[in-house]
Each structure stands twice: as structure tokens, then as C-alpha cells.
Amino acid sequence: MKCILLRDHLNNALGIVEKSLGTNEIMPILKNILIKAKEGKIQLIATNLETALIASLPGKIEEEGEIAVLGSGLFQVINNIKDEKIEFTTKDNQLQVHTDMFQGELVTVSVAEFPLIPKVQETAYVEVEAKQFKKGIDTVSLAISFNTIRPELNGMYLSMNEGKKKLIVAGSDGFRLAERQVDILKSEVESISCIIPAKTIHLLGRMLDTSPAGILKIVLESHQIVFILDGFVLISNLVDGEYPSY
């Protein structure tokens, strides 16, 4: 693999992707970021098995390939680089990082160990303004509970109003409730009723900050939800259970 990227694009993507890295000592592969340079796209991928985040970056691919490298090590190296252009090259199980003023190497691990990321089927979805949705999750986040007895309260409830023109986001800890409605720009679903984990909402907030003027696509699948925005794809499991009526 050999590709050239801009530092600012890479730093921005790493700042989001690293939040989806795993910390499980039993599966150390989850501490790694998968870097793919294939089919004209450069992607950074991280997962903790509950969420997966894919960042697609502009850049020049001179040789296709993919490698996995420790996320914390990559973030530390890139964060200290001041040059505008950064070149990634793989050689002898190492990722070589080159700039005009810097040269370093990071040990890679087998890509075969990296968990398979499910392919997103963009058939059932809604589209909303990213800025509006960010205001919605900011409003309800403070009311979300961290309750081990009632896990259905450990997330944000997402639903659609009767007219199917607005998304409703809600959060509660059993004593207080926060709700906000967001205009739907386009809809390819008949109904929505799911609970999104609080950790996913925090990660989504970081992602939305990268492109507040963009259009957020929310894809609904049987046991997961997908958020797509300007080069970022966030895939998350849903909270099991039924949200309390209010």
C-alpha cells in the first residue's frame, strides 16, 4: 500500500475514529485502526463491536492495500507532524510514515484478525439537517439515564410523528424528560421506533460537529442503526427493550 494524504484531513478523521476503538484486553485487535486504500478510496475503520466508524478521506493512491495499526500509536505520530502532506507506505509488516521533515514506522497486525464490518444497505432511511439533529441530541442528552436496572433508559429514543414529517428525539432518566422534533427532508421508511445507546449519541455528536451544514442520512436496519454524513459512516447496535410511554 502507498498513499498520500493531507494532515488536516487525517487529523480530523483520527479524532473521530479513535473514539470507536475497543479497550478489551481479550481482543487486542479492537485497539487497532484498519487503513484501506482501495477502489479510489482511502478509509480509516475502527470498531469496538458495539459501534463501528468508517472515515473516507481524499488522497492519492499509488498502490492499493490495507493494513491494521495500533490506533493510539498512529494518533500520537500524526498529531505531532507539522508538514501538510503525509505519505503512508507498507513494507515488511510495518507502516512507514513519511513527510518532508519526518520519517517513522509503526508495527502492523494481520488484517485477517480485524472484525468484519457489515455492509450498509441504504434502503430504509430518513434524511435531516445535521445542524438540527445536533441541536436535538444536545437537548436530550442531559436527561439520558445510566441505569443498570432499566437499560431501556440508557439511550435516546428515536421515533417519527404521525404525519411522518418530523423525527422525535427523546431522553429520560425516569424522573425528567427532554424531547425535540427535527424536520424530515426525505423519508423512505414507514415508521421509526428505536433506542440508540448513549455512547453512540456522544460519538455521533462529535461526527456532526465536523459538518454542521451537511445532510445526515439515518439508515434503519433490524438490529442496528447507521448514520452517514460527508465521508463518515457510524454503525451502531441498538438498545434492546421498549421505551416507556410518555
Side-chain angles (χ1 to χ4, degrees):
M1 182 186 78
K2 185 176 181 180
C3 60
I4 300 172
L5 307 99
L6 295 180
R7 180 200 60 200
D8 289 347
H9 292 156
L10 186 55
N11 255 334
N12 180 49
L14 280 173
I16 306 297
V17 170
E18 68 154 349
K19 301 301 180 183
S20 197
L21 288 170
T23 57
N24 192 331
E25 297 295 336
I26 300 175
M27 294 187 67
I29 188 63
L30 300 181
K31 297 180 180 181
N32 290 264
I33 292 175
L34 178 64
I35 304 174
K36 298 177 70 172
K38 290 186 175 182
E39 300 175 353
K41 294 190 296 185
I42 302 172
Q43 294 182 320
L44 306 181
I45 304 171
T47 181
N48 55 24
L49 300 184
E50 295 178 356
T51 62
L53 207 150
I54 305 168
S56 297
L57 307 176
K60 181 180 179 182
I61 300 174
E62 297 187 357
E63 183 179 332
E64 291 190 343
E66 56 182 354
I67 57 97
V69 63
L70 190 65
S72 59
L74 180 62
F75 183 80
Q76 184 176 8
V77 167
I78 300 304
N79 198 43
N80 288 317
I81 288 177
K82 305 303 180 185
D83 297 302
E84 181 180 359
K85 292 183 179 180
I86 299 174
E87 180 181 289
F88 284 165
T89 307
T90 52
K91 183 178 180 181
D92 298 329
N93 296 321
Q94 291 184 328
L95 174 65
Q96 298 180 340
V97 182
H98 296 276
T99 73
D100 291 338
M101 302 294 292
F102 176 85
Q103 180 173 336
E105 296 178 342
L106 292 168
V107 177
T108 64
V109 297
S110 174
V111 173
E113 297 179 32
F114 202 85
L116 181 66
I117 305 299
K119 188 174 181 180
V120 178
Q121 303 294 332
E122 299 180 31
T123 52
Y125 67 88
V126 295
E127 292 182 352
V128 297
E129 289 184 1
K131 185 177 181 179
Q132 272 202 38
F133 200 78
K134 179 63 164 56
K135 287 181 179 178
I137 65 176
D138 285 347
T139 298
V140 306
S141 291
L142 293 177
I144 293 175
S145 170
F146 294 92
N147 193 319
T148 57
I149 300 175
R150 302 181 65 186
E152 67 274 10
L153 295 179
N154 293 345
M156 183 184 79
Y157 182 55
L158 182 67
S159 61
M160 183 185 290
N161 73 346
E162 292 182 2
K164 300 181 181 179
K165 293 184 178 181
K166 292 183 181 291
L167 280 184
I168 302 172
V169 294
S172 176
D173 59 6
F175 299 97
R176 55 183 178 170
L177 171 74
E179 180 191 276
R180 188 162 183 144
Q181 297 191 6
V182 180
D183 294 330
I184 295 175
L185 303 178
K186 183 178 181 181
S187 175
E188 294 292 338
V189 294
E190 290 300 316
S191 64
I192 299 173
S193 180
C194 62
I195 307 171
I196 306 167
K199 289 182 179 179
T200 300
I201 295 303
H202 177 71
L203 183 55
L204 176 61
R206 293 284 301 271
M207 191 175 98
L208 291 171
D209 283 337
T210 67
S211 185
I215 302 300
L216 175 67
K217 177 181 280 190
I218 305 173
V219 182
L220 285 303
E221 299 188 352
S222 56
H223 300 291
Q224 65 183 22
I225 190 166
V226 183
F227 300 94
I228 303 172
L229 176 69
D230 292 346
F232 288 99
V233 178
L234 172 60
I235 304 170
S236 173
N237 294 338
L238 295 171
V239 177
D240 291 330
E242 184 174 343
Y243 205 76
S245 298
Y246 64 91

